[in-house]
Amino acid sequence: SGFGLRLDSGTSDITVTNSVIENYQVAVYIIKGSGSNAVRNFTLSHSIIQNNGGQGFLGGGPDTYIGHNTFINNGHFGVFDHNIYFGCADMGDSDPPCPFVIEYNEVQGASRDSAGRCQGAEIVAHGYLNGTIIRNNIIQEPDGAVETCYGIMVNPSYSRLEVMSNLTITGNQIYDVGRSGIFVEA
């Protein structure tokens, strides 16, 4: 239970690399904050995130980098669990950048059902986004997927306004997900 790594409000300049995080409820959790409460400049690289009960990565803040990792079999609660679930808190009316770079990750097994099929999204974003890049990831489901499995999903899902702009999705290889390889909605 609990978190493998939790970053609370105002934390900045943290790098986690060459690590294995497994068997937690959420492997890496970054509290979404804005202004001075935003977690800034976080890097997760060259690590294995696997077999966590809920999310592999959850939350985020400006200048988050998730690259060169392997995410396998994170989540057990159907459509609500994902390997990478990111976004920022609303940064205010001036639409400041809140860039994420998610690149060169190998991702599979989001919220597998009893038959081993993907049910969640491999990489999903909700909330505030401005300046996100999702590139050169390998997303595959060798054990199959059901209709609720997405490769990359960027869409509003909250009851409040979600501003999403300046999104780049390029160079990803996506195989055998159930619903859509890439789904974007605004």
Side-chain angles (χ1 to χ4, degrees):
S1 66
F3 307 104
L5 172 66
R6 177 181 166 143
L7 298 172
D8 283 330
S9 299
T11 306
S12 62
D13 302 320
I14 303 292
T15 297
V16 175
T17 189
N18 297 317
S19 299
V20 176
I21 304 174
E22 64 181 324
N23 296 323
Y24 289 93
Q25 182 57 32
V26 175
V28 178
Y29 178 42
I30 297 178
I31 299 290
K32 287 184 186 180
S34 60
S36 63
N37 288 325
V39 174
R40 297 177 185 280
N41 195 27
F42 173 76
T43 295
L44 175 65
S45 70
H46 299 91
S47 294
I48 298 171
I49 311 300
Q50 65 185 9
N51 301 321
N52 294 284
Q55 317 293 340
F57 178 93
L58 175 62
D63 300 311
T64 297
Y65 178 83
I66 304 170
H68 302 276
N69 301 292
T70 300
F71 288 84
I72 301 173
N73 194 27
N74 293 292
H76 300 292
F77 300 105
V79 300
F80 300 108
D81 286 340
H82 314 291
N83 273 308
I84 301 172
Y85 181 171
F86 72 97
C88 288
D90 188 344
M91 302 297 281
D93 293 332
S94 63
D95 295 332
C98 189
F100 281 80
V101 175
I102 300 173
E103 66 180 2
Y104 298 104
N105 298 288
E106 294 185 25
V107 188
Q108 70 180 38
S111 198
R112 289 183 175 169
D113 67 9
S114 60
R117 299 171 302 190
C118 168
Q119 301 178 88
E122 300 295 354
I123 300 173
V124 65
H126 303 312
Y128 179 85
L129 299 175
N130 184 354
T132 293
I133 299 170
I134 304 171
R135 65 181 170 211
N136 301 322
N137 298 284
I138 299 172
I139 300 168
Q140 57 185 332
E141 283 304 325
D143 296 324
V146 299
E147 271 190 14
T148 57
C149 179
Y150 290 79
I152 298 169
M153 174 189 248
V154 179
N155 74 316
S157 287
Y158 302 148
S159 60
R160 63 185 183 278
L161 179 64
E162 297 176 64
V163 177
M164 300 177 178
S165 58
N166 302 312
L167 171 67
T168 301
I169 300 173
T170 186
N172 298 283
Q173 298 177 49
I174 304 170
Y175 307 99
D176 301 323
V177 296
R179 183 69 164 211
S180 291
I182 299 171
F183 177 79
V184 178
E185 176 186 28

